[in-house]
Amino acid sequence: MADFLQIFKDKVERRDARIGVVGLGYVGLPLAVEFAHAGLRTVGIDVDEVKVRTVNRGVSHIEDVPSAVLRPLVRKGLLRAQADYRGCRDLDAILIAVPTPLRKTRDPDISYIVAAVDKIAPQIRRGQTIVLESTTYPGTTDEVVRPALEAGGLKAGKDFFLAFSPERVDPSNAVFTTRNTPKIVGGTTARCAEAAAALYRQAVDQVHMVSSTQAAEMIKLLENTFRAVNIGLVNEIALMCHKLGLDVWEVIDGAATKPFGFMRFYPGPGIGGHCIPLDPHYLAWKLKTLNYSARFIELASEINSAMPRVVVQKASEMLNQRRKSLKGSKVVVLGVSYKRDTSDVRESPALDVLGLLHEAGASVTFADPYNDAVHIEGVGDLRGKPLTPALLRGADLVIVVTDHTAFDYDLVVRHAKQVLDTRNATRAVRRGRAKISKL
Ligand SMILES: NC(=O)c1ccc[n+]([C@@H]2O[C@H](COP(=O)([O-])OP(=O)(O)OC[C@H]3O[C@@H](n4cnc5c(N)ncnc54)[C@H](O)[C@@H]3O)[C@@H](O)[C@H]2O)c1
């Protein structure tokens, strides 16, 4: 009988394997580029035809993937994109990196995974390796993906290989990229893990194998829950410092001089992005089905999601000191992305801050070099303005919500009347006319 694992490994090592990446977003595109860069012919599959067209023109829609890197790979025929699932049978490995959002009820929405797997399942053949990369609750690969792929009669571990390998991409991180961030791999069987590990070794420097898909799924959720809980803790420490009349940033800097047993986390206007605000709820939901309440997750979520209100309350207090109310005041928000130096506004706390300010009757606008416009629930589309001295001078209050490095903070402090700095972005600014308050 043919040893499908050996055949697959040989093909991968000869760079002869053809790879499919489903979902060409923040995770999928860098991954596809990394495989193509390693010399493996890669096809990206995305239902978004605009993304498909731009990738095929060699133009990147993701900041971390420069078009100058993408274009030569497309020209050499190592990378192309398509908007349908034709030809999946001819691929040797298929990696799935589609969104995993939450429903309004905060329950996991794995419909994108199901949709992708339903398209792949009828085309599955012996010797293929399928890997789920989307963050999800422990059990998804084995309980949802596996039965769908096995429906045609082939068996995972025997006929094809199935694994879970969480993506750890940190958008805008110039030090740790897809290539030099170790990759976790858990297989449905040991042979499945071996197949997936052999594949990733072509594109990433270090692969760490674990005993099961569930362990790999849980590792990702531990990583993101760790961040959510620690950000929740430091946000609460910031609230405590405010009550005690202390500067939380000084307190964190001091604590961080301890060379062991402490890790810096920063307070801010709330958490955003596709991961930290959502992923822990995947875990909490799974535990709820086992009659267990994930208390740290719920508490951190409560604190973190209250931060935009804290920002607006603080804004109101600052205006009050100058005998002004939020109603009728001109407020400029700097930065709408969920984190520095990215355009991603998914779950961004800035959207909540803008919405709450609008609700309170303030006249709001924003400046963000990465975003021309944003949609605010209940308000509509809001267009940004360039950050100019006139904009700053005309504002009653400027709120730094996202600390993009492109902002000229000297200019901000020189021209604004009052600055609410939720990120300590103005720490290096010596003096100006603005009164600066921190979170
Ligand atoms: N963005 C991050 O920083 C990050 C980091 C680690 C893990 N993740 C996880 O990776 C997964 C993907 O996240 P992302 O940020 O890349 O999302 P994204 O929205 O940027 O990209 C997902 C892509 O999948 C496409 N898509 C949706 N349904 C599809 C389908 N049925 N078939 C083909 N394509 C489809 C979308 O058009 C989109 O281009 C999520 O589970 C997320 O939690 C994200």
Side-chain angles (χ1 to χ4, degrees), residues 23 25-27 46 51 85 98 100 134-135 167 171 220 275 346:
Y26 287 91
V27 167
D46 200 299
K51 282 184 188 161
Y85 283 74
V98 292
T100 43
S134 302
T135 307
E167 183 49 58
K220 174 71 186 175
C275 297
R346 290 177 298 178

Side-chain angles (χ1 to χ4, degrees), residues 21-30 45-49 51 61-62 82-83 85 96-101 111-117 119 133-136 166-171 220 224 273-275 278-279 282 338 344 346:
V21 176
V22 179
L24 290 176
Y26 287 91
V27 167
L29 188 63
I45 298 171
D46 200 299
V47 288
D48 184 338
E49 298 202 359
K51 282 184 188 161
H61 54 277
I62 303 286
Q82 62 183 52
Y85 283 74
I96 304 168
V98 292
T100 43
S111 61
Y112 297 87
I113 297 179
V114 171
V117 171
K119 294 280 189 190
E133 291 237 357
S134 302
T135 307
T136 183
E167 183 49 58
R168 286 169 152 171
V169 69
D170 181 20
K220 174 71 186 175
N224 284 0
H274 187 332
C275 297
L278 310 187
D279 299 350
Y282 269 68
Y338 83 90
D344 195 349
R346 290 177 298 178

Side-chain angles (χ1 to χ4, degrees), residues 196-217:
L199 175 66
Y200 285 116
R201 281 195 195 102
Q202 302 302 316
V204 297
D205 295 343
Q206 210 186 320
V207 175
H208 179 83
M209 281 202 266
V210 295
S211 65
S212 63
T213 54
Q214 288 89 339
E217 288 159 339

Side-chain angles (χ1 to χ4, degrees), residues 302-313:
E302 195 184 301
I303 293 171
N304 291 331
S305 57
M307 291 313 287
R309 279 195 187 279
V310 171
V311 172
V312 173
Q313 175 63 34

Side-chain angles (χ1 to χ4, degrees), residues 69-118:
V69 171
L70 178 66
R71 201 167 302 123
L73 298 172
V74 175
R75 282 212 185 118
K76 281 187 209 151
L78 282 165
L79 181 63
R80 64 179 181 82
Q82 62 183 52
D84 56 49
Y85 283 74
R86 262 181 298 170
C88 279
R89 190 177 287 278
D90 303 326
L91 300 171
D92 297 291
I94 303 174
L95 317 176
I96 304 168
V98 292
T100 43
L102 289 177
R103 299 189 188 283
K104 284 240 177 302
T105 51
R106 304 229 139 234
D107 288 351
D109 175 3
I110 58 164
S111 61
Y112 297 87
I113 297 179
V114 171
V117 171
D118 282 350

Side-chain angles (χ1 to χ4, degrees), residues 206-239:
Q206 210 186 320
V207 175
H208 179 83
M209 281 202 266
V210 295
S211 65
S212 63
T213 54
Q214 288 89 339
E217 288 159 339
M218 186 66 176
I219 287 167
K220 174 71 186 175
L221 293 177
L222 166 61
E223 291 167 9
N224 284 0
T225 301
F226 174 80
R227 284 192 62 77
V229 167
N230 278 290
I231 295 168
L233 171 66
V234 84
N235 274 333
E236 193 171 42
I237 295 286
L239 300 180

